[in-house]
Every structure is written in C-alpha cells, then in structure tokens.
Amino acid sequence: MSRADELVVVEQTDNGACIARLVPSNVLDELQITGIGRQLTDLVDQGARRLVVDFSRVDHLSSSALGMLITVRQGLSQVKGDMRLCNIRPEIYEVFKITGLDKLFVIQPTVTEALASLR
Amino acid sequence: MVDIDLTKLAFESVVIGNDLKVAAERVVRPILTQASRCGYCSQDQFALRLALEESLCNAFRHGNGCDPDKRISARWAIREDVAVICVADEGDGFDPSAVPDPRREENREKPYGRGVMLMRAYMTELRFNEQGNEVCMIKVRKRSGARPTGT
C-alpha cells in the first residue's frame, strides 16, 4: 500500500507487471515531477520490467513531465523492459501527438489493454 | 499575425522571485480565473495554462538558471476576444528560431526541448523581444471544439 503523500500509487499484478497510477499534482512543481520520475525509476531499479503508467487522474501535462517519461522509458529499455501509457484523456493525448511522442510511446486506451499488449 | 498593438493594452503585472510555486499562485491562478470569467472554453483554458506554465518553467530554469536571487516578471491582459500574456526573466535570452524541432527522429528521445514548440502550438502567436528573454503569448479566443494546429 502506498503512503498518502506519494505521487505514484503502485500496484503489482499477478504476472509481475507494475501499474503506476499517477496522482494529480501541481505541474509547475518541478520537485513533484522529479519525485514521480524517481518513484518510477525506483520501480525499475527494484526489478520491474513491464510498466503500465495510468494517466486516468492526470488532467494536465508539461514538457518537463514528458521529459521525465522519456527518461524512465530509456531506463527501462536499458534493462530490456517495456512500458505502456494508458487512460490518457483526449486533450493530454493531443500534447503527445503535437510533440510526436505518440510515435515513441505505446499508448493504450485502458489498463487491461495496456497489460495485454505487454505480454 | 494577430492584428493587435501590445503597447496599447492595459496590462496587469507582477514581479516575483524565481519560484514556480509563487508563480502558480500569483500568475497562473489569476490569469485562468480571468479567462474563465471572460468565457474562454475549457480547451482555450487548457491551452493558456499549458503555454503559461511552459513559459514560466523556461524563465525559471533556462532564463534564470534556477537562481533564487533572480526574478520573473509577468504581465497580462485578458479580454473577451483575445488574451495576451508576457513572461520575462533576467537571463541573457535565447534565439527561439534556433531551437531544434523535437519531432525529428534524431530529437525524439531527448528529454527536453519541447516547451517552445508546445507554446507555439497552443497559442495563436508568440512574440519574443529582441534579447530573447521575454515572450508575449497571444491567444485569440476560439469557438469550443477547435483544436491546436501543431504547427
């Protein structure tokens, strides 16, 4: 169980994948973005190789947050892991599309579909 | 180019320390409140917030180099037809035309360099001062349903 002050709520599935649900945060707070990145990186350091990042509670995004996700993805790639993003609302998806990151990240509609596509 | 003379606008302005939490409270919040009161739709408010936060992050990090002794200046005029927001830092400035396109394949995996592009995509027009340490973002109010162009 995650602490209330954590920025990411993590759930481990039966087959070893990790679901990281991003908790809403002030996008201007660089420390929070750094904190989210650190928590996701810690998951990889602790052995997670299949990671699903759930955006269902995210209603805003910054380029700093995009950079953090790219860094996490690179860390996972180095250990031959993989990640999926899911539950991204349309206006947030638009940000990925405008920046071309819809071509870098695999984005799935739901957690279930994201987990299925990681198998 | 938007036909608007920025020198003739009645701006509200603040000068704050190089602190993003203070910027959220004293710049982002009043601007979004005024935009809501002026009838900007949720898409326009999303666009204003995104571009404004990118400009403030750029001022904090790249312009002022995260230096707590430097300041950020912001001024804004939110009208029913158009919103103009200017953010300035105390840095040396930069050449916005020299920022590489983050959509190119060789830049796609770089974890930085998307702020100005997002500001361009979500605003109607950006105007930089000659030194490159102030950006004025102009958003013509759109009808609900319009999407950013990504160009």
Side-chain angles (χ1 to χ4, degrees), chain B residues 12 27 33 51 67 97 109 111 129 143:
Chain B
E12 291 180 48
V27 181
T33 300
D67 183 345
S97 66
E109 296 204 38
N129 67 352
R143 289 174 301 152

Side-chain angles (χ1 to χ4, degrees), chain B residues 1-4 124-127 138 140:
Chain B
M1 185 178 263
V2 181
D3 183 17
I4 187 168
T124 311
E125 185 183 335
L126 298 188
R127 294 182 191 175
I138 303 168
V140 174

Side-chain angles (χ1 to χ4, degrees), chain A residues 98-109:
Chain A
I98 287 169
T99 52
L101 291 177
D102 58 325
K103 296 182 177 71
L104 186 67
F105 290 101
V106 179
I107 299 172
Q108 295 286 344

